[in-house]
Each structure stands twice: as C-alpha cells, then as structure tokens.
Amino acid sequence: MADRYKTGEKAPENGTYEFDGLTDGRKSSNPTEDEKQVKLESGETFPPLRSSKEAAYWKKVK
C-alpha cells in the first residue's frame, strides 16, 4: 500500500498527490475535478478538500 498522508501533515517530498478518501472513513465526498490532485513541495501542508473543508487522505502519484 502506498503511503497515505492526511490533512495537516507535511509533504515529505515534492510531487503530485491525489485524494484517497476522507479521514472519517468515507471514500468520497464528491471532490471536484480540480481538487482531486494537489501539487506540493516538500514541507508544505496537506490541505483539506477545498469544496467541503473536510480532512482528507492523500497519496503520491508522481
């Protein structure tokens, strides 16, 4: 299983991360297409979903 990171944690490295479920266990809250992936640099904080402000899990895709 790929490493998962949650809202509030720091990105371990530069990259593109994709939405991988909500921290309350739900897999989807219907994130918009533009918030399914975020580009972060090392040390930046993983965001909540912008549309719902809910805490999310993220996994690195590239």
Side-chain angles (χ1 to χ4, degrees):
M1 181 175 149
D3 289 334
R4 291 173 88 197
Y5 308 97
K6 67 180 180 178
T7 297
E9 292 182 340
K10 304 289 185 190
E13 59 188 3
N14 298 350
T16 300
Y17 297 83
E18 71 179 5
F19 172 75
D20 192 38
L22 297 171
T23 59
D24 67 3
R26 290 179 290 149
K27 193 66 177 170
S28 176
S29 71
N30 297 320
T32 62
E33 282 301 314
D34 69 325
E35 68 183 355
K36 286 183 180 176
Q37 291 192 345
V38 294
K39 289 185 179 181
L40 297 175
E41 293 191 15
S42 179
E44 288 188 306
T45 304
F46 285 96
L49 288 179
R50 288 186 300 270
S51 59
S52 64
K53 306 291 189 243
E54 293 178 276
Y57 285 112
W58 302 92
K59 64 182 178 181
K60 189 166 194 241
V61 290
K62 48 183 164 169

